[in-house]
Amino acid sequence: MLVPSVKLLLLDLDNTLWDFDANAEDALTTLFHSHHLHFKSGYNVQQFVALYQKVNKTYWTRYENGEIEKDFLRTERFADTFRQMGIPETDHPESIWEEYLEICPVMTRLISGALPFLEAMSAKYKIGLLTNGFDKTQNLKIKHAGIQPFVDFMVTSESAGFAKPNKAVFDLALDMGECLKSEAIYMGDNLETDVKGGIHAGIRTIWFNRHNLEVSDLTILDHPLYIGQACVLLEAAALVDDNFGL
């Protein structure tokens, strides 16, 4: 069997390597208390975090669909959360979105096993990150979390001008990695943007399914480019090696 000359492992960042959920919750908890939001609404911190996460997901979907711009997402997701909490506009903390962007990206929680996974994979393959995020924010994350030395390059939706699952962002990553689709494997945690996106782009794809979620679209399981799922990064490393012929 002919082994490809170039082997590129493309990885999502948030909730695949960098623990976005945990870091965001810590940042939001800090902001909730520093801005005394418990006095301005009937919400406790857990309710605030849950509501923000729901609102934020909606705004990110709109951003990924090209419906809104970066600045609108960053500010309006907080304003919308406060409105739903019943906080008057005059009591909205104006700077909170900037504070969030200062606090959250420098937090260092990683998905369990991320550092040994990257150390092992980077010794064998070229590593590229493919992330729906913004340049400054994502660069801060990989720098402060200590994973930057293992990364050869990163493509963000901001730098690309389009977001996953758009095929063009995957094509750009392949160009930057200087390899063919057949010489690459992609892995991410989101079934829609990552798994379906990778498969649609013609790349062998792994679903990092750490919460062991059900597959909503069973046709994915039978697709020749879907090479499996992993609940932990140790399992993912074995899948990558198996499919690269190592």
Side-chain angles (χ1 to χ4, degrees):
M1 175 177 153
L2 181 63
V3 178
S5 58
V6 177
K7 298 182 181 72
L8 171 64
L9 178 57
L10 289 171
L11 299 165
D12 175 48
L13 177 59
D14 292 330
N15 285 331
T16 298
L17 298 172
W18 192 78
D19 196 335
F20 176 86
D21 289 343
N23 289 316
E25 184 170 347
D26 287 347
L28 291 167
T29 297
T30 297
L31 293 170
F32 180 87
H33 292 301
S34 66
H35 286 281
H36 309 292
L37 296 179
H38 50 300
F39 292 132
K40 297 179 180 180
S41 71
Y43 279 65
N44 60 37
V45 65
Q46 291 82 13
Q47 292 170 323
F48 164 67
V49 170
L51 177 59
Y52 173 85
Q53 289 172 336
K54 180 181 177 181
V55 172
N56 186 51
K57 183 177 181 181
T58 300
Y59 277 80
W60 266 101
T61 299
R62 293 175 65 188
Y63 171 76
E64 289 165 353
N65 291 337
E67 298 170 9
I68 59 175
E69 299 295 326
K70 173 181 74 173
D71 292 342
F72 186 84
L73 180 153
R74 286 178 160 178
T75 58
E76 196 63 18
R77 59 186 174 179
F78 280 100
D80 200 353
T81 299
F82 296 147
R83 283 193 291 268
Q84 293 189 43
M85 292 170 69
I87 300 176
E89 298 277 344
T90 53
D91 286 338
H92 290 190
E94 292 183 8
S95 64
I96 195 167
W97 68 273
E98 294 175 300
E99 294 174 53
Y100 176 78
L101 293 177
E102 291 174 357
I103 295 171
C104 192
V106 300
M107 291 187 164
T108 58
R109 288 208 210 184
L110 292 171
I111 299 297
S112 178
L115 284 178
F117 170 79
L118 285 170
E119 185 174 12
M121 295 293 97
S122 64
K124 306 171 189 176
Y125 317 116
K126 184 180 291 187
I127 303 293
L129 300 185
L130 184 51
T131 170
N132 278 0
F134 308 119
D135 291 352
K136 181 180 178 181
T137 301
Q138 303 305 72
N139 277 298
L140 284 172
K141 289 175 183 178
I142 66 173
K143 176 184 176 182
H144 286 271
I147 64 177
Q148 194 171 45
F150 305 108
V151 177
D152 293 292
F153 66 90
M154 179 167 63
V155 176
T156 69
S157 56
E158 181 179 35
S159 63
F162 26 72
K164 297 180 290 186
N166 192 314
K167 180 178 179 294
V169 75
F170 291 91
D171 290 340
L172 177 59
L174 291 172
D175 287 344
M176 290 188 68
E178 300 180 311
C179 79
L180 303 173
K181 295 174 183 178
S182 60
E183 301 166 338
I185 288 174
Y186 176 70
M187 182 175 74
D189 70 292
N190 188 289
L191 196 59
E192 295 297 323
T193 57
D194 292 319
V195 180
K196 291 184 180 180
I199 289 172
H200 179 65
I203 304 171
R204 287 174 290 172
T205 299
I206 298 169
W207 184 19
F208 182 56
N209 184 15
R210 67 174 174 137
H211 297 303
N212 202 24
L213 301 174
E214 295 276 335
V215 180
S216 56
D217 183 355
L218 296 179
T219 61
I220 290 175
L221 300 177
D222 297 322
H223 199 286
L225 293 175
Y226 177 73
I227 58 178
Q229 62 176 289
C231 295
V232 296
L233 289 172
L234 182 62
E235 294 174 354
L239 269 176
V240 172
D241 286 343
D242 286 348
N243 283 276
F244 270 143
L246 294 184

PDB file of all heavy atoms in Angstrom, residues 2-36:
ATOM      1  N   LEU A   2       0.565   2.191  -0.885  1.00  0.00           N
ATOM      2  CA  LEU A   2       1.341   3.426  -0.997  1.00  0.00           C
ATOM      3  C   LEU A   2       0.946   4.385   0.113  1.00  0.00           C
ATOM      4  O   LEU A   2      -0.199   4.770   0.248  1.00  0.00           O
ATOM      5  CB  LEU A   2       1.094   4.087  -2.359  1.00  0.00           C
ATOM      6  CG  LEU A   2       1.869   5.383  -2.630  1.00  0.00           C
ATOM      7  CD1 LEU A   2       3.369   5.105  -2.648  1.00  0.00           C
ATOM      8  CD2 LEU A   2       1.419   6.001  -3.935  1.00  0.00           C
ATOM      9  N   VAL A   3       1.936   4.762   0.922  1.00  0.00           N
ATOM     10  CA  VAL A   3       1.687   5.713   2.002  1.00  0.00           C
ATOM     11  C   VAL A   3       1.896   7.116   1.471  1.00  0.00           C
ATOM     12  O   VAL A   3       2.923   7.400   0.850  1.00  0.00           O
ATOM     13  CB  VAL A   3       2.642   5.460   3.192  1.00  0.00           C
ATOM     14  CG1 VAL A   3       2.404   6.475   4.288  1.00  0.00           C
ATOM     15  CG2 VAL A   3       2.466   4.048   3.720  1.00  0.00           C
ATOM     16  N   PRO A   4       0.925   8.039   1.673  1.00  0.00           N
ATOM     17  CA  PRO A   4       1.070   9.406   1.162  1.00  0.00           C
ATOM     18  C   PRO A   4       2.344  10.072   1.670  1.00  0.00           C
ATOM     19  O   PRO A   4       2.776   9.843   2.802  1.00  0.00           O
ATOM     20  CB  PRO A   4      -0.181  10.114   1.706  1.00  0.00           C
ATOM     21  CG  PRO A   4      -1.160   9.011   1.938  1.00  0.00           C
ATOM     22  CD  PRO A   4      -0.354   7.837   2.339  1.00  0.00           C
ATOM     23  N   SER A   5       2.967  10.909   0.853  1.00  0.00           N
ATOM     24  CA  SER A   5       4.216  11.555   1.232  1.00  0.00           C
ATOM     25  C   SER A   5       4.001  12.649   2.264  1.00  0.00           C
ATOM     26  O   SER A   5       4.880  12.955   3.054  1.00  0.00           O
ATOM     27  CB  SER A   5       4.889  12.135  -0.014  1.00  0.00           C
ATOM     28  OG  SER A   5       4.013  13.054  -0.651  1.00  0.00           O
ATOM     29  N   VAL A   6       2.834  13.270   2.232  1.00  0.00           N
ATOM     30  CA  VAL A   6       2.503  14.326   3.192  1.00  0.00           C
ATOM     31  C   VAL A   6       1.315  13.869   4.023  1.00  0.00           C
ATOM     32  O   VAL A   6       0.329  13.367   3.493  1.00  0.00           O
ATOM     33  CB  VAL A   6       2.145  15.644   2.471  1.00  0.00           C
ATOM     34  CG1 VAL A   6       1.740  16.706   3.482  1.00  0.00           C
ATOM     35  CG2 VAL A   6       3.312  16.129   1.647  1.00  0.00           C
ATOM     36  N   LYS A   7       1.416  14.012   5.315  1.00  0.00           N
ATOM     37  CA  LYS A   7       0.314  13.651   6.191  1.00  0.00           C
ATOM     38  C   LYS A   7      -0.038  14.870   7.031  1.00  0.00           C
ATOM     39  O   LYS A   7       0.777  15.362   7.802  1.00  0.00           O
ATOM     40  CB  LYS A   7       0.684  12.467   7.085  1.00  0.00           C
ATOM     41  CG  LYS A   7       1.014  11.187   6.313  1.00  0.00           C
ATOM     42  CD  LYS A   7       1.324  10.054   7.267  1.00  0.00           C
ATOM     43  CE  LYS A   7       1.682   8.780   6.503  1.00  0.00           C
ATOM     44  NZ  LYS A   7       3.010   8.890   5.866  1.00  0.00           N
ATOM     45  N   LEU A   8      -1.255  15.349   6.863  1.00  0.00           N
ATOM     46  CA  LEU A   8      -1.716  16.545   7.547  1.00  0.00           C
ATOM     47  C   LEU A   8      -2.880  16.196   8.454  1.00  0.00           C
ATOM     48  O   LEU A   8      -3.887  15.652   8.001  1.00  0.00           O
ATOM     49  CB  LEU A   8      -2.145  17.603   6.526  1.00  0.00           C
ATOM     50  CG  LEU A   8      -2.844  18.847   7.074  1.00  0.00           C
ATOM     51  CD1 LEU A   8      -1.906  19.655   7.969  1.00  0.00           C
ATOM     52  CD2 LEU A   8      -3.350  19.725   5.930  1.00  0.00           C
ATOM     53  N   LEU A   9      -2.736  16.516   9.722  1.00  0.00           N
ATOM     54  CA  LEU A   9      -3.832  16.343  10.675  1.00  0.00           C
ATOM     55  C   LEU A   9      -4.425  17.715  10.952  1.00  0.00           C
ATOM     56  O   LEU A   9      -3.771  18.574  11.547  1.00  0.00           O
ATOM     57  CB  LEU A   9      -3.330  15.704  11.966  1.00  0.00           C
ATOM     58  CG  LEU A   9      -4.373  15.503  13.074  1.00  0.00           C
ATOM     59  CD1 LEU A   9      -5.545  14.655  12.594  1.00  0.00           C
ATOM     60  CD2 LEU A   9      -3.737  14.891  14.323  1.00  0.00           C
ATOM     61  N   LEU A  10      -5.659  17.923  10.482  1.00  0.00           N
ATOM     62  CA  LEU A  10      -6.382  19.167  10.720  1.00  0.00           C
ATOM     63  C   LEU A  10      -7.284  18.985  11.930  1.00  0.00           C
ATOM     64  O   LEU A  10      -8.009  17.996  12.030  1.00  0.00           O
ATOM     65  CB  LEU A  10      -7.223  19.537   9.496  1.00  0.00           C
ATOM     66  CG  LEU A  10      -6.465  20.005   8.258  1.00  0.00           C
ATOM     67  CD1 LEU A  10      -7.411  20.109   7.073  1.00  0.00           C
ATOM     68  CD2 LEU A  10      -5.794  21.344   8.521  1.00  0.00           C
ATOM     69  N   LEU A  11      -7.259  19.952  12.828  1.00  0.00           N
ATOM     70  CA  LEU A  11      -8.000  19.849  14.076  1.00  0.00           C
ATOM     71  C   LEU A  11      -8.808  21.102  14.347  1.00  0.00           C
ATOM     72  O   LEU A  11      -8.340  22.224  14.109  1.00  0.00           O
ATOM     73  CB  LEU A  11      -7.043  19.629  15.256  1.00  0.00           C
ATOM     74  CG  LEU A  11      -6.177  18.362  15.217  1.00  0.00           C
ATOM     75  CD1 LEU A  11      -5.051  18.462  16.231  1.00  0.00           C
ATOM     76  CD2 LEU A  11      -7.031  17.131  15.458  1.00  0.00           C
ATOM     77  N   ASP A  12     -10.009  20.911  14.832  1.00  0.00           N
ATOM     78  CA  ASP A  12     -10.780  22.000  15.403  1.00  0.00           C
ATOM     79  C   ASP A  12     -10.086  22.414  16.703  1.00  0.00           C
ATOM     80  O   ASP A  12      -9.325  21.631  17.285  1.00  0.00           O
ATOM     81  CB  ASP A  12     -12.207  21.494  15.659  1.00  0.00           C
ATOM     82  CG  ASP A  12     -13.074  22.503  16.373  1.00  0.00           C
ATOM     83  OD1 ASP A  12     -13.097  23.669  15.949  1.00  0.00           O
ATOM     84  OD2 ASP A  12     -13.723  22.128  17.363  1.00  0.00           O
ATOM     85  N   LEU A  13     -10.357  23.615  17.181  1.00  0.00           N
ATOM     86  CA  LEU A  13      -9.734  24.085  18.421  1.00  0.00           C
ATOM     87  C   LEU A  13     -10.685  24.026  19.609  1.00  0.00           C
ATOM     88  O   LEU A  13     -10.437  23.308  20.586  1.00  0.00           O
ATOM     89  CB  LEU A  13      -9.212  25.515  18.241  1.00  0.00           C
ATOM     90  CG  LEU A  13      -8.587  26.169  19.482  1.00  0.00           C
ATOM     91  CD1 LEU A  13      -7.398  25.370  19.996  1.00  0.00           C
ATOM     92  CD2 LEU A  13      -8.186  27.614  19.190  1.00  0.00           C
ATOM     93  N   ASP A  14     -11.796  24.768  19.539  1.00  0.00           N
ATOM     94  CA  ASP A  14     -12.694  24.882  20.687  1.00  0.00           C
ATOM     95  C   ASP A  14     -13.463  23.588  20.928  1.00  0.00           C
ATOM     96  O   ASP A  14     -14.155  23.071  20.047  1.00  0.00           O
ATOM     97  CB  ASP A  14     -13.687  26.038  20.472  1.00  0.00           C
ATOM     98  CG  ASP A  14     -12.987  27.388  20.488  1.00  0.00           C
ATOM     99  OD1 ASP A  14     -11.968  27.523  21.172  1.00  0.00           O
ATOM    100  OD2 ASP A  14     -13.474  28.308  19.801  1.00  0.00           O
ATOM    101  N   ASN A  15     -13.327  23.076  22.136  1.00  0.00           N
ATOM    102  CA  ASN A  15     -13.971  21.832  22.587  1.00  0.00           C
ATOM    103  C   ASN A  15     -13.450  20.584  21.880  1.00  0.00           C
ATOM    104  O   ASN A  15     -14.028  19.514  22.016  1.00  0.00           O
ATOM    105  CB  ASN A  15     -15.502  21.915  22.477  1.00  0.00           C
ATOM    106  CG  ASN A  15     -16.104  22.782  23.569  1.00  0.00           C
ATOM    107  OD1 ASN A  15     -15.547  22.884  24.659  1.00  0.00           O
ATOM    108  ND2 ASN A  15     -17.223  23.406  23.277  1.00  0.00           N
ATOM    109  N   THR A  16     -12.339  20.732  21.163  1.00  0.00           N
ATOM    110  CA  THR A  16     -11.609  19.578  20.658  1.00  0.00           C
ATOM    111  C   THR A  16     -10.244  19.516  21.332  1.00  0.00           C
ATOM    112  O   THR A  16      -9.813  18.454  21.772  1.00  0.00           O
ATOM    113  CB  THR A  16     -11.451  19.643  19.128  1.00  0.00           C
ATOM    114  OG1 THR A  16     -12.757  19.629  18.523  1.00  0.00           O
ATOM    115  CG2 THR A  16     -10.647  18.456  18.597  1.00  0.00           C
ATOM    116  N   LEU A  17      -9.597  20.675  21.453  1.00  0.00           N
ATOM    117  CA  LEU A  17      -8.334  20.783  22.183  1.00  0.00           C
ATOM    118  C   LEU A  17      -8.462  21.724  23.380  1.00  0.00           C
ATOM    119  O   LEU A  17      -8.111  21.363  24.513  1.00  0.00           O
ATOM    120  CB  LEU A  17      -7.232  21.290  21.248  1.00  0.00           C
ATOM    121  CG  LEU A  17      -6.897  20.406  20.042  1.00  0.00           C
ATOM    122  CD1 LEU A  17      -5.936  21.137  19.106  1.00  0.00           C
ATOM    123  CD2 LEU A  17      -6.305  19.073  20.481  1.00  0.00           C
ATOM    124  N   TRP A  18      -8.947  22.927  23.123  1.00  0.00           N
ATOM    125  CA  TRP A  18      -9.127  23.939  24.167  1.00  0.00           C
ATOM    126  C   TRP A  18     -10.537  23.806  24.723  1.00  0.00           C
ATOM    127  O   TRP A  18     -11.508  23.785  23.954  1.00  0.00           O
ATOM    128  CB  TRP A  18      -8.912  25.331  23.558  1.00  0.00           C
ATOM    129  CG  TRP A  18      -8.776  26.469  24.512  1.00  0.00           C
ATOM    130  CD1 TRP A  18      -7.667  26.803  25.240  1.00  0.00           C
ATOM    131  CD2 TRP A  18      -9.766  27.465  24.820  1.00  0.00           C
ATOM    132  NE1 TRP A  18      -7.909  27.943  25.980  1.00  0.00           N
ATOM    133  CE2 TRP A  18      -9.197  28.366  25.745  1.00  0.00           C
ATOM    134  CE3 TRP A  18     -11.088  27.658  24.411  1.00  0.00           C
ATOM    135  CZ2 TRP A  18      -9.888  29.450  26.259  1.00  0.00           C
ATOM    136  CZ3 TRP A  18     -11.786  28.734  24.917  1.00  0.00           C
ATOM    137  CH2 TRP A  18     -11.196  29.626  25.839  1.00  0.00           C
ATOM    138  N   ASP A  19     -10.653  23.683  26.051  1.00  0.00           N
ATOM    139  CA  ASP A  19     -11.958  23.424  26.665  1.00  0.00           C
ATOM    140  C   ASP A  19     -12.768  24.716  26.735  1.00  0.00           C
ATOM    141  O   ASP A  19     -12.815  25.395  27.762  1.00  0.00           O
ATOM    142  CB  ASP A  19     -11.781  22.826  28.063  1.00  0.00           C
ATOM    143  CG  ASP A  19     -13.058  22.182  28.587  1.00  0.00           C
ATOM    144  OD1 ASP A  19     -14.156  22.585  28.134  1.00  0.00           O
ATOM    145  OD2 ASP A  19     -12.968  21.283  29.439  1.00  0.00           O
ATOM    146  N   PHE A  20     -13.416  25.018  25.618  1.00  0.00           N
ATOM    147  CA  PHE A  20     -14.182  26.257  25.519  1.00  0.00           C
ATOM    148  C   PHE A  20     -15.267  26.337  26.585  1.00  0.00           C
ATOM    149  O   PHE A  20     -15.442  27.381  27.230  1.00  0.00           O
ATOM    150  CB  PHE A  20     -14.810  26.379  24.131  1.00  0.00           C
ATOM    151  CG  PHE A  20     -15.701  27.579  23.976  1.00  0.00           C
ATOM    152  CD1 PHE A  20     -15.174  28.810  23.620  1.00  0.00           C
ATOM    153  CD2 PHE A  20     -17.068  27.498  24.218  1.00  0.00           C
ATOM    154  CE1 PHE A  20     -15.985  29.930  23.506  1.00  0.00           C
ATOM    155  CE2 PHE A  20     -17.889  28.598  24.106  1.00  0.00           C
ATOM    156  CZ  PHE A  20     -17.344  29.823  23.744  1.00  0.00           C
ATOM    157  N   ASP A  21     -16.026  25.272  26.773  1.00  0.00           N
ATOM    158  CA  ASP A  21     -17.155  25.305  27.709  1.00  0.00           C
ATOM    159  C   ASP A  21     -16.695  25.651  29.115  1.00  0.00           C
ATOM    160  O   ASP A  21     -17.284  26.509  29.786  1.00  0.00           O
ATOM    161  CB  ASP A  21     -17.886  23.959  27.716  1.00  0.00           C
ATOM    162  CG  ASP A  21     -18.656  23.707  26.435  1.00  0.00           C
ATOM    163  OD1 ASP A  21     -18.903  24.676  25.683  1.00  0.00           O
ATOM    164  OD2 ASP A  21     -19.004  22.545  26.179  1.00  0.00           O
ATOM    165  N   ALA A  22     -15.642  24.995  29.584  1.00  0.00           N
ATOM    166  CA  ALA A  22     -15.152  25.230  30.950  1.00  0.00           C
ATOM    167  C   ALA A  22     -14.539  26.619  31.096  1.00  0.00           C
ATOM    168  O   ALA A  22     -14.790  27.317  32.085  1.00  0.00           O
ATOM    169  CB  ALA A  22     -14.133  24.160  31.325  1.00  0.00           C
ATOM    170  N   ASN A  23     -13.737  27.027  30.125  1.00  0.00           N
ATOM    171  CA  ASN A  23     -13.096  28.342  30.199  1.00  0.00           C
ATOM    172  C   ASN A  23     -14.114  29.474  30.117  1.00  0.00           C
ATOM    173  O   ASN A  23     -14.020  30.465  30.850  1.00  0.00           O
ATOM    174  CB  ASN A  23     -12.062  28.483  29.079  1.00  0.00           C
ATOM    175  CG  ASN A  23     -10.849  27.609  29.310  1.00  0.00           C
ATOM    176  OD1 ASN A  23     -10.322  27.540  30.409  1.00  0.00           O
ATOM    177  ND2 ASN A  23     -10.401  26.922  28.266  1.00  0.00           N
ATOM    178  N   ALA A  24     -15.094  29.323  29.224  1.00  0.00           N
ATOM    179  CA  ALA A  24     -16.130  30.347  29.085  1.00  0.00           C
ATOM    180  C   ALA A  24     -16.953  30.449  30.364  1.00  0.00           C
ATOM    181  O   ALA A  24     -17.301  31.558  30.807  1.00  0.00           O
ATOM    182  CB  ALA A  24     -17.028  30.045  27.899  1.00  0.00           C
ATOM    183  N   GLU A  25     -17.279  29.314  30.962  1.00  0.00           N
ATOM    184  CA  GLU A  25     -18.063  29.345  32.202  1.00  0.00           C
ATOM    185  C   GLU A  25     -17.306  30.054  33.315  1.00  0.00           C
ATOM    186  O   GLU A  25     -17.884  30.841  34.071  1.00  0.00           O
ATOM    187  CB  GLU A  25     -18.418  27.922  32.631  1.00  0.00           C
ATOM    188  CG  GLU A  25     -19.305  27.887  33.862  1.00  0.00           C
ATOM    189  CD  GLU A  25     -19.864  26.510  34.175  1.00  0.00           C
ATOM    190  OE1 GLU A  25     -19.769  25.612  33.303  1.00  0.00           O
ATOM    191  OE2 GLU A  25     -20.392  26.327  35.279  1.00  0.00           O
ATOM    192  N   ASP A  26     -16.003  29.808  33.414  1.00  0.00           N
ATOM    193  CA  ASP A  26     -15.188  30.494  34.425  1.00  0.00           C
ATOM    194  C   ASP A  26     -15.176  32.001  34.181  1.00  0.00           C
ATOM    195  O   ASP A  26     -15.300  32.803  35.126  1.00  0.00           O
ATOM    196  CB  ASP A  26     -13.752  29.959  34.402  1.00  0.00           C
ATOM    197  CG  ASP A  26     -13.638  28.571  34.997  1.00  0.00           C
ATOM    198  OD1 ASP A  26     -14.606  28.119  35.655  1.00  0.00           O
ATOM    199  OD2 ASP A  26     -12.589  27.927  34.797  1.00  0.00           O
ATOM    200  N   ALA A  27     -15.018  32.403  32.919  1.00  0.00           N
ATOM    201  CA  ALA A  27     -14.985  33.829  32.586  1.00  0.00           C
ATOM    202  C   ALA A  27     -16.325  34.493  32.864  1.00  0.00           C
ATOM    203  O   ALA A  27     -16.388  35.601  33.432  1.00  0.00           O
ATOM    204  CB  ALA A  27     -14.603  34.011  31.125  1.00  0.00           C
ATOM    205  N   LEU A  28     -17.410  33.837  32.497  1.00  0.00           N
ATOM    206  CA  LEU A  28     -18.748  34.394  32.711  1.00  0.00           C
ATOM    207  C   LEU A  28     -19.079  34.491  34.200  1.00  0.00           C
ATOM    208  O   LEU A  28     -19.739  35.445  34.639  1.00  0.00           O
ATOM    209  CB  LEU A  28     -19.790  33.533  31.989  1.00  0.00           C
ATOM    210  CG  LEU A  28     -19.736  33.586  30.459  1.00  0.00           C
ATOM    211  CD1 LEU A  28     -20.572  32.463  29.858  1.00  0.00           C
ATOM    212  CD2 LEU A  28     -20.222  34.940  29.945  1.00  0.00           C
ATOM    213  N   THR A  29     -18.630  33.521  34.964  1.00  0.00           N
ATOM    214  CA  THR A  29     -18.850  33.553  36.418  1.00  0.00           C
ATOM    215  C   THR A  29     -18.147  34.760  37.034  1.00  0.00           C
ATOM    216  O   THR A  29     -18.713  35.469  37.885  1.00  0.00           O
ATOM    217  CB  THR A  29     -18.343  32.246  37.058  1.00  0.00           C
ATOM    218  OG1 THR A  29     -19.098  31.148  36.544  1.00  0.00           O
ATOM    219  CG2 THR A  29     -18.485  32.292  38.572  1.00  0.00           C
ATOM    220  N   THR A  30     -16.917  35.002  36.603  1.00  0.00           N
ATOM    221  CA  THR A  30     -16.165  36.161  37.085  1.00  0.00           C
ATOM    222  C   THR A  30     -16.907  37.455  36.761  1.00  0.00           C
ATOM    223  O   THR A  30     -17.058  38.342  37.621  1.00  0.00           O
ATOM    224  CB  THR A  30     -14.767  36.186  36.446  1.00  0.00           C
ATOM    225  OG1 THR A  30     -14.037  35.024  36.844  1.00  0.00           O
ATOM    226  CG2 THR A  30     -14.000  37.442  36.861  1.00  0.00           C
ATOM    227  N   LEU A  31     -17.408  37.575  35.536  1.00  0.00           N
ATOM    228  CA  LEU A  31     -18.101  38.791  35.118  1.00  0.00           C
ATOM    229  C   LEU A  31     -19.441  38.955  35.827  1.00  0.00           C
ATOM    230  O   LEU A  31     -19.830  40.082  36.164  1.00  0.00           O
ATOM    231  CB  LEU A  31     -18.309  38.761  33.599  1.00  0.00           C
ATOM    232  CG  LEU A  31     -17.035  38.849  32.764  1.00  0.00           C
ATOM    233  CD1 LEU A  31     -17.331  38.570  31.302  1.00  0.00           C
ATOM    234  CD2 LEU A  31     -16.374  40.218  32.925  1.00  0.00           C
ATOM    235  N   PHE A  32     -20.131  37.867  36.059  1.00  0.00           N
ATOM    236  CA  PHE A  32     -21.418  37.920  36.759  1.00  0.00           C
ATOM    237  C   PHE A  32     -21.249  38.558  38.131  1.00  0.00           C
ATOM    238  O   PHE A  32     -22.036  39.438  38.531  1.00  0.00           O
ATOM    239  CB  PHE A  32     -22.000  36.508  36.904  1.00  0.00           C
ATOM    240  CG  PHE A  32     -23.318  36.444  37.608  1.00  0.00           C
ATOM    241  CD1 PHE A  32     -24.505  36.597  36.904  1.00  0.00           C
ATOM    242  CD2 PHE A  32     -23.393  36.226  38.980  1.00  0.00           C
ATOM    243  CE1 PHE A  32     -25.741  36.533  37.548  1.00  0.00           C
ATOM    244  CE2 PHE A  32     -24.621  36.156  39.636  1.00  0.00           C
ATOM    245  CZ  PHE A  32     -25.794  36.316  38.910  1.00  0.00           C
ATOM    246  N   HIS A  33     -20.204  38.138  38.834  1.00  0.00           N
ATOM    247  CA  HIS A  33     -19.991  38.663  40.185  1.00  0.00           C
ATOM    248  C   HIS A  33     -19.391  40.072  40.167  1.00  0.00           C
ATOM    249  O   HIS A  33     -19.793  40.917  40.979  1.00  0.00           O
ATOM    250  CB  HIS A  33     -19.088  37.708  40.976  1.00  0.00           C
ATOM    251  CG  HIS A  33     -19.736  36.392  41.278  1.00  0.00           C
ATOM    252  ND1 HIS A  33     -20.907  36.283  41.997  1.00  0.00           N
ATOM    253  CD2 HIS A  33     -19.381  35.124  40.935  1.00  0.00           C
ATOM    254  CE1 HIS A  33     -21.252  35.000  42.107  1.00  0.00           C
ATOM    255  NE2 HIS A  33     -20.341  34.279  41.468  1.00  0.00           N
ATOM    256  N   SER A  34     -18.470  40.335  39.254  1.00  0.00           N
ATOM    257  CA  SER A  34     -17.830  41.653  39.237  1.00  0.00           C
ATOM    258  C   SER A  34     -18.803  42.758  38.850  1.00  0.00           C
ATOM    259  O   SER A  34     -18.646  43.916  39.272  1.00  0.00           O
ATOM    260  CB  SER A  34     -16.625  41.654  38.295  1.00  0.00           C
ATOM    261  OG  SER A  34     -17.026  41.479  36.957  1.00  0.00           O
ATOM    262  N   HIS A  35     -19.830  42.413  38.057  1.00  0.00           N
ATOM    263  CA  HIS A  35     -20.833  43.401  37.651  1.00  0.00           C
ATOM    264  C   HIS A  35     -22.123  43.288  38.471  1.00  0.00           C
ATOM    265  O   HIS A  35     -23.117  43.950  38.151  1.00  0.00           O
ATOM    266  CB  HIS A  35     -21.148  43.251  36.161  1.00  0.00           C
ATOM    267  CG  HIS A  35     -20.053  43.759  35.275  1.00  0.00           C
ATOM    268  ND1 HIS A  35     -19.878  45.096  35.007  1.00  0.00           N
ATOM    269  CD2 HIS A  35     -19.059  43.109  34.617  1.00  0.00           C
ATOM    270  CE1 HIS A  35     -18.833  45.259  34.208  1.00  0.00           C
ATOM    271  NE2 HIS A  35     -18.318  44.065  33.964  1.00  0.00           N
ATOM    272  N   HIS A  36     -22.088  42.484  39.518  1.00  0.00           N
ATOM    273  CA  HIS A  36     -23.219  42.369  40.464  1.00  0.00           C
ATOM    274  C   HIS A  36     -24.545  42.108  39.747  1.00  0.00           C
ATOM    275  O   HIS A  36     -25.569  42.722  40.061  1.00  0.00           O
ATOM    276  CB  HIS A  36     -23.321  43.646  41.309  1.00  0.00           C
ATOM    277  CG  HIS A  36     -22.030  44.055  41.947  1.00  0.00           C
ATOM    278  ND1 HIS A  36     -21.436  43.318  42.952  1.00  0.00           N
ATOM    279  CD2 HIS A  36     -21.212  45.110  41.702  1.00  0.00           C
ATOM    280  CE1 HIS A  36     -20.290  43.915  43.311  1.00  0.00           C
ATOM    281  NE2 HIS A  36     -20.132  44.998  42.569  1.00  0.00           N
TER     282      HIS A  36
END
